[in-house]
Amino acid sequence: MDLLSSLGGDGPQGPESPQCSRKGCRAEAAWQILWNNPKIHDEQRRKIWLACDEHRSWLEDFLRQRLFWRRTADMSEDVGPG
């Protein structure tokens, strides 16, 4: 028996659809915001925050101010592993 089985169920249950990464927002995500911190991530590494239409610009601006933003993609786009 593995640890997740011993806790009951098949593991943690997440939302049925991807949700916005903005704190407190539970809206369905429409965008993938790709970013990295060049001080700790290599140039090819991409982290992904999800954004709804309302919070897309807020999250992009937050990352741009820190020089972390790389690009934004539609949720339907396959951006590959981070």
Side-chain angles (χ1 to χ4, degrees), residues 1-81:
M1 178 184 286
D2 66 20
L3 178 61
L4 291 177
S5 296
S6 68
L7 295 174
D10 295 327
Q13 296 296 313
E16 291 184 24
S17 61
Q19 293 180 346
C20 181
S21 297
R22 177 76 164 106
K23 185 176 181 178
C25 183
R26 296 294 166 245
E28 186 171 346
W31 303 98
Q32 302 175 80
I33 302 174
L34 286 73
W35 65 278
N36 76 348
N37 179 343
K39 292 182 180 179
I40 61 174
H41 301 124
D42 66 55
E43 180 59 31
Q44 301 307 311
R45 175 81 188 267
R46 292 294 181 264
K47 306 283 280 178
I48 301 172
W49 281 353
L50 302 180
C52 64
D53 287 330
E54 180 181 351
H55 293 118
R56 173 186 174 179
S57 63
W58 191 96
L59 292 166
E60 287 173 340
D61 289 344
F62 179 89
L63 294 167
R64 280 188 177 112
Q65 289 175 6
R66 290 152 182 82
L67 305 176
F68 294 172
W69 181 85
R70 299 298 173 246
R71 73 182 186 98
T72 300
D74 185 85
M75 283 296 292
S76 65
E77 185 177 336
D78 180 10
V79 296

